Amino acid sequence: MANEQVLTASQVIEKAGRYLIKEDLAFVERAYKYAEYAHREQYRKSGEPYIIHPIQVAGILVDLEMDPATIAGGFLHDVVEDTDVTLDDLREEFSDEVAMLVDGVTKLGKIKYKSKEEQQAENHRKMFVAMAQDIRVILIKLADRLHNMRTLKHLPQEKQRRISNETLEIFAPLAHRLGISKIKWELEDTALRYLNPQQYYRIVNLMKKKRAEREQYLDEVIEEVRNHVEEVNIDADFSGRPKHIYSIYRKMALQNKQFNEIYDLLAVRIVVNSIKDCYAVLGIIHTCWKPMPGRFKDYIAMPKPNMYQSLHTTVIGPKGEPLEVQIRTVEMHQIAEYGIAAHWAYKEHKDPDEKSTLDEKLTWFREILEFQNDVANAEEFMESLKIDLFSDMVFVFTPKGDVIELPSGSVPIDFSYRIHSEIGNKTIGAKVNGKMVTLDYKLKTGDIIEILTSKHSYGPSQDWLKLAQTSQAKNKIRQFFKKQRREENVEKGKELVEKEIKNLDFDVKEIMTAENINRVAEKFNFANEEDMYAAVGYNGITALQVANRLTEKWRRKRDEEQQERIVEEVINEKPKFSSHTRKSDAGVQVKGIDNLLIRLSKCCNPVPGDDIVGFITKGRGVSVHREDCPNVHTEDAKERLIDVEWEHQSITEGRKREYNVEIEILGYDRRGLLNEVLQAVNEAKTNISSVSGKSDRNKMATITMTISISNISHLHKVAERIKQIPDIYSVRRLMS
């Protein structure tokens, strides 16, 4: 799936026609034409017509052989967010089904949030809840993210890093959980390319160096295995398995290994017709070469949570080199590549048992709906979700031999609530492998767990909320406290909120209006104010969180009035403030002014030692600029300038705070130049936040780098060290 080819709409529709009937194909084509008209005269950052993006998203979904409604959703996924089209329009023109899918991937709009992080978390919550109702929502979102990652080069560096981080944290793990390795690997490799370009290209070059040698070696291995397999009349397809850059990077980073120590760089994949043939081929492999101890995994007998099945073994192959072999059936291979999309609940299922098994595999999604109603905010929802869905898994056994999967780090409490909420509530202890353990014991794969219960138990303890790792267990514990002590919790919660409002120095009566309380309760996703107070009472949400939301409008107004008062006093030269010096975390001091915010401007990034001047902003205190910054040399700026100076220790001691500075390095492009520059900066004991480089047709290299320095002397030291490198022409500091 990793390709740079840009598909046309006709190519996408032609590919869809290979498996869709005429009526469904006409429906898909109508969706494309509707999207094309809606996005007319819109363009992407690359300068291309916007409609190219929905076409590529639909193309990815066609590669997964999705149904007509999902492909239509791919064409239409941005029309509600980016055009005047409404969900009602889509319902009328297409169907409730298509409108629901588009709504699931549409970001929340027209709501103001405290921060970008909060808004993003709310968007993710909305998407996951929609996904729990219909899995096709996330398939459209994954296709959308995949094409966005393919075209990430057109965005600013800061956005590239933010989107790549989000991809590694949310979307690649989701693709893994759904078993869609085709998408997962490309998302991870592309994200690494923008987050750590040095390591990415280093691994690429190391893989290229010995590619021909590796391919010849694999051809010899495959030929030998093929001869043995044909002797026992087993039909099999053989191929070399590509190793993905991100997986190599993770093994090198997490296991502290060198490139030549990665065992499964060389791998053979064998696809056969039946499970019986899988084990027969495994026997042949182990007859040909000696297996490495501890390197055999049977994912057929015990599939991964994402439905992946295969036999994995590593053997000492020809020439004494480790060789990984994967053996699976044709159906297993389809599921390994396309995951849930290979046999999902929306395709025609003739066998009801298959559909039932598939629904069972998706129960971890269904729990999202239940859990999301019981968390304080979207950030908590996403953090819990990452633990449940995206962490590594452990497989443990009940005394009867049933396998239970839990996130890594789970404890017996998580196990007991996974079995049944009543067993969880009545838990008094646990045995692991026949021995008593404490309730904070970390479960390991293969453990046999027996939960001890008592009908006389008083129920869970509040401390269990800290011990439990899964959102399911925490949710059940909170529900217990809700039912047991609701009235008490409501009263206690209200008292705590009122106390916090008083601590913030506000009038409780002025703040606690019905309209304000209902607004905040809705913001926290509570049905009414009693539910919100009850949540405070049982520690589901803190009183300070509620009080901060209730008072946010008044606090903002009070802060703005205070800042405006100080600004007016300075501008009108009527100082009514204390005479002592105001210091700040920025390492800058302003004489004679108290209670005024001080921040370093990002347009010129001043550092200790620079000549600086203060600019009094409206409502945001004093921003500190370099004296040569063009933004403070306008007519409007002159009346708002104020004298500021660096604190003495910022210049002399220097290491207490670091400042980001962007520098540009020009030189002759030759092999190893960038490595020498990076080494020089490292030798100057300087951290690098980001680096990028390019070369023109005249072999002139331009390297742009953001470094963390303590003062102007430190910057000069770094610059001089770089200038000593042969073929470097100049080093200069940039304005943002």
Side-chain angles (χ1 to χ4, degrees):
M1 196 170 285
N3 61 74
E4 295 298 325
Q5 179 190 2
V6 178
L7 297 172
T8 64
S10 58
Q11 287 173 324
V12 172
I13 291 165
E14 181 187 345
K15 288 170 79 175
R18 295 171 191 169
Y19 70 94
L20 292 181
I21 61 175
K22 285 185 178 181
E23 184 182 342
D24 290 340
L25 198 62
F27 180 81
V28 167
E29 193 166 4
R30 187 155 57 87
Y32 159 66
K33 289 178 179 176
Y34 192 92
E36 183 185 37
Y37 182 78
H39 288 298
R40 66 194 184 283
E41 297 179 3
Q42 288 185 338
Y43 295 89
R44 302 193 85 207
K45 295 285 185 184
S46 61
E48 298 172 323
Y50 193 90
I51 190 61
I52 287 178
H53 171 62
I55 291 172
Q56 307 316 303
V57 171
I60 293 166
L61 294 169
V62 167
D63 284 340
L64 296 174
E65 294 196 1
M66 301 307 298
D67 66 316
T70 311
I71 300 169
F75 278 125
L76 299 164
H77 76 277
D78 274 339
V79 295
V80 173
E81 189 174 322
D82 295 335
T83 75
D84 295 332
V85 174
T86 66
L87 288 171
D88 287 335
D89 294 335
L90 293 184
R91 287 189 191 95
E92 186 178 338
E93 185 69 26
F94 296 98
S95 65
D96 289 343
E97 188 180 20
V98 170
M100 178 273 298
L101 293 175
V102 172
D103 184 39
V105 295
T106 299
K107 293 175 185 172
L108 295 165
K110 300 178 182 177
I111 301 175
K112 290 188 177 179
Y113 292 93
K114 184 169 60 179
S115 65
K116 283 185 178 178
E117 290 76 14
E118 182 187 5
Q119 182 173 16
Q120 193 69 329
E122 288 286 2
N123 285 329
H124 286 146
R125 188 215 289 256
K126 176 178 183 286
M127 178 187 71
F128 275 105
V129 172
M131 176 182 70
Q133 295 169 318
D134 195 313
I135 201 70
R136 291 175 293 180
V137 168
I138 199 57
L139 295 173
I140 296 173
K141 191 63 185 177
L142 284 173
D144 172 48
R145 177 52 59 107
L146 180 59
H147 184 249
N148 281 336
M149 291 300 292
R150 288 176 180 173
T151 56
L152 205 57
K153 62 186 176 185
H154 301 291
L155 295 183
Q157 195 174 65
E158 183 186 342
K159 275 194 174 182
Q160 289 176 350
R161 294 185 65 82
R162 178 177 60 77
I163 292 170
S164 296
N165 262 321
E166 183 185 56
T167 298
L168 282 184
E169 286 185 3
I170 305 288
F171 294 101
L174 258 178
H176 173 69
R177 259 308 216 163
L178 292 170
I180 312 175
S181 61
K182 280 272 190 181
I183 289 180
K184 176 205 171 188
W185 291 120
E186 188 176 349
L187 288 176
E188 289 180 335
D189 285 357
T190 312
L192 178 65
R193 178 178 161 193
Y194 291 102
L195 289 172
N196 197 335
Q198 297 100 319
Q199 285 286 24
Y200 175 87
Y201 288 109
R202 175 174 170 248
I203 293 169
V204 169
N205 289 329
L206 287 169
M207 290 176 73
K208 279 181 180 176
K209 281 181 181 178
K210 295 191 176 181
R211 176 174 291 171
E213 184 182 324
R214 282 203 311 273
E215 287 176 353
Q216 183 182 349
Y217 177 85
L218 286 175
D219 288 343
E220 292 173 4
V221 168
I222 288 172
E223 187 60 32
E224 184 172 346
V225 177
R226 191 194 306 276
N227 292 335
H228 287 291
V229 170
E230 285 176 353
E231 286 176 8
V232 292
N233 297 318
I234 294 176
D235 290 331
D237 286 328
F238 299 83
S239 62
R241 182 182 68 82
K243 188 65 183 174
H244 296 276
I245 297 165
Y246 184 74
S247 63
I248 296 173
Y249 166 76
R250 273 181 60 84
K251 287 192 176 183
M252 291 173 69
L254 297 179
Q255 300 174 21
N256 197 25
K257 289 184 175 181
Q258 294 300 313
F259 182 79
N260 57 8
E261 295 177 298
I262 307 294
Y263 287 148
D264 51 357
L265 277 175
L266 295 171
V268 174
R269 180 177 292 145
I270 305 173
V271 180
V272 295
N273 294 323
S274 68
I275 293 176
K276 181 183 72 174
D277 289 346
C278 288
Y279 289 100
V281 172
L282 176 68
I284 292 171
I285 297 295
H286 284 177
T287 303
C288 291
W289 300 292
K290 188 176 181 180
M292 292 180 65
R295 298 282 299 175
F296 169 66
K297 293 171 185 173
D298 188 343
Y299 293 120
I300 293 179
M302 191 171 294
K304 290 186 178 183
N306 61 8
M307 300 174 292
Y308 177 89
Q309 288 184 286
S310 188
L311 295 177
H312 289 197
T313 186
T314 302
V315 296
I316 303 298
K319 303 178 184 177
E321 290 193 41
L323 171 74
E324 186 188 56
V325 182
Q326 295 180 353
I327 311 164
R328 60 180 68 149
T329 66
V330 175
E331 184 184 0
M332 290 173 191
H333 183 60
Q334 281 293 105
I335 294 169
E337 295 291 294
Y338 299 104
I340 200 76
H343 65 180
W344 61 316
Y346 301 94
K347 288 188 177 179
E348 293 295 329
H349 280 287
K350 295 177 182 177
D351 183 357
D353 290 337
E354 186 182 354
K355 191 174 190 301
S356 174
T357 303
L358 194 60
D359 285 340
E360 189 180 311
K361 293 288 185 184
L362 294 173
T363 52
W364 52 276
F365 267 163
R366 312 300 177 211
E367 291 168 5
I368 296 170
L369 276 177
E370 181 182 9
F371 171 59
Q372 71 98 22
N373 293 318
D374 290 276
V375 292
N377 52 49
E379 287 94 333
E380 183 187 341
F381 173 76
M382 286 308 301
E383 285 306 310
S384 299
L385 202 65
K386 286 176 188 177
I387 293 170
D388 267 18
L389 302 188
F390 308 147
S391 62
D392 292 332
M393 307 301 287
V394 294
F395 300 90
V396 294
F397 296 90
T398 68
K400 292 182 178 179
D402 295 327
V403 180
I404 303 293
E405 60 171 284
L406 291 165
S408 180
S410 292
V411 297
I413 293 169
D414 298 297
F415 177 86
S416 64
Y417 279 103
R418 181 59 59 89
I419 301 300
H420 196 279
S421 58
E422 279 305 305
I423 292 177
N425 290 339
K426 298 295 182 182
T427 296
I428 58 171
K431 285 184 179 180
V432 173
N433 304 325
K435 295 181 180 179
M436 289 293 297
V437 296
T438 57
L439 291 180
D440 62 353
Y441 170 85
K442 303 288 185 188
L443 301 177
K444 303 180 184 67
T445 293
D447 282 345
I448 302 171
I449 306 167
E450 180 185 352
I451 297 297
L452 306 178
T453 62
S454 170
K455 60 183 179 181
H456 302 297
S457 168
Y458 290 108
S461 157
Q462 285 278 4
D463 292 336
W464 287 12
L465 286 169
K466 297 176 184 176
L467 295 178
Q469 295 297 306
T470 61
S471 58
Q472 182 191 28
K474 291 179 180 179
N475 182 36
K476 297 296 183 185
I477 295 167
R478 289 191 183 106
Q479 284 180 354
F480 175 85
F481 289 123
K482 271 187 185 179
K483 292 175 183 175
Q484 294 293 313
R485 308 171 189 166
R486 180 169 173 81
E487 289 185 11
E488 179 187 335
N489 283 330
V490 169
E491 189 176 340
K492 177 184 174 184
K494 188 173 181 181
E495 287 177 5
L496 289 171
V497 170
E498 289 179 353
K499 183 179 177 182
E500 289 293 349
I501 291 173
K502 289 177 183 176
N503 290 340
L504 293 171
D505 200 21
F506 288 105
D507 181 2
V508 172
K509 287 184 179 179
E510 183 184 2
I511 302 298
M512 300 282 276
T513 63
E515 182 184 356
N516 196 26
I517 293 169
N518 288 331
R519 178 186 64 81
V520 173
E522 186 179 338
K523 189 81 171 176
F524 282 118
N525 290 299
F526 293 110
N528 52 53
E529 63 178 284
E530 284 195 352
D531 284 354
M532 181 174 71
Y533 291 140
V536 175
Y538 67 77
N539 293 328
I541 184 175
T542 68
L544 183 59
Q545 283 178 296
V546 176
N548 279 334
R549 282 291 176 91
L550 286 167
T551 59
E552 58 188 351
K553 183 172 72 174
W554 286 268
R555 283 185 290 114
R556 194 182 306 117
K557 184 179 178 183
R558 184 167 66 183
D559 290 345
E560 287 176 358
E561 287 175 352
Q562 184 181 27
Q563 291 297 320
E564 280 300 314
R565 177 178 57 78
I566 296 172
V567 167
E568 289 303 318
E569 287 175 354
V570 173
I571 292 174
N572 296 328
E573 297 182 343
K574 296 176 182 177
K576 296 178 183 177
F577 30 76
S578 61
S579 59
H580 70 272
T581 298
R582 164 73 174 175
K583 295 184 179 181
S584 77
D585 292 338
V588 175
Q589 57 190 23
V590 184
K591 291 183 178 178
I593 300 181
D594 195 12
N595 296 325
L596 195 60
L597 298 173
I598 303 170
R599 61 185 179 84
L600 300 178
S601 68
K602 292 184 178 179
C603 58
C604 55
N605 288 325
V607 300
D610 283 330
D611 293 330
I612 53 175
V613 64
F615 177 79
I616 304 170
T617 65
K618 289 187 176 181
R620 291 186 298 142
V622 172
S623 66
V624 179
H625 295 254
R626 283 160 50 187
E627 271 197 351
D628 59 351
C629 178
N631 290 333
V632 295
H633 288 288
T634 63
E635 287 299 318
D636 294 338
K638 286 182 179 178
E639 64 177 13
R640 288 179 171 266
L641 297 183
I642 189 170
D643 289 336
V644 294
E645 62 184 20
W646 295 105
E647 294 174 30
H648 181 64
Q649 65 177 14
S650 296
I651 302 173
T652 55
E653 297 172 16
R655 291 295 174 188
K656 292 189 176 180
R657 178 186 161 114
E658 291 193 328
Y659 303 80
N660 282 343
V661 170
E662 191 174 20
I663 59 173
E664 182 185 77
I665 304 156
L666 297 179
Y668 175 73
D669 186 21
R670 58 171 172 79
R671 186 185 294 273
L673 181 69
L674 179 59
N675 283 337
E676 289 181 33
V677 171
L678 294 174
Q679 187 178 347
V681 176
N682 187 48
E683 288 172 355
K685 297 180 180 179
T686 304
N687 291 326
I688 301 172
S689 301
S690 66
V691 64
S692 62
K694 60 183 179 180
S695 177
D696 61 22
R697 64 181 63 182
N698 297 317
K699 301 288 285 182
M700 176 65 76
T702 303
I703 301 171
T704 306
M705 186 181 294
T706 302
I707 59 175
S708 299
I709 54 103
S710 53
N711 53 44
I712 200 71
S713 300
H714 185 186
L715 178 60
H716 289 157
K717 178 183 174 183
V718 175
E720 288 303 316
R721 182 68 190 83
I722 295 172
K723 287 177 183 177
Q724 292 172 14
I725 299 171
D727 300 318
I728 292 294
Y729 303 143
S730 69
V731 180
R732 71 185 184 97
R733 183 176 173 187
L734 298 176
M735 290 272 192
S736 294

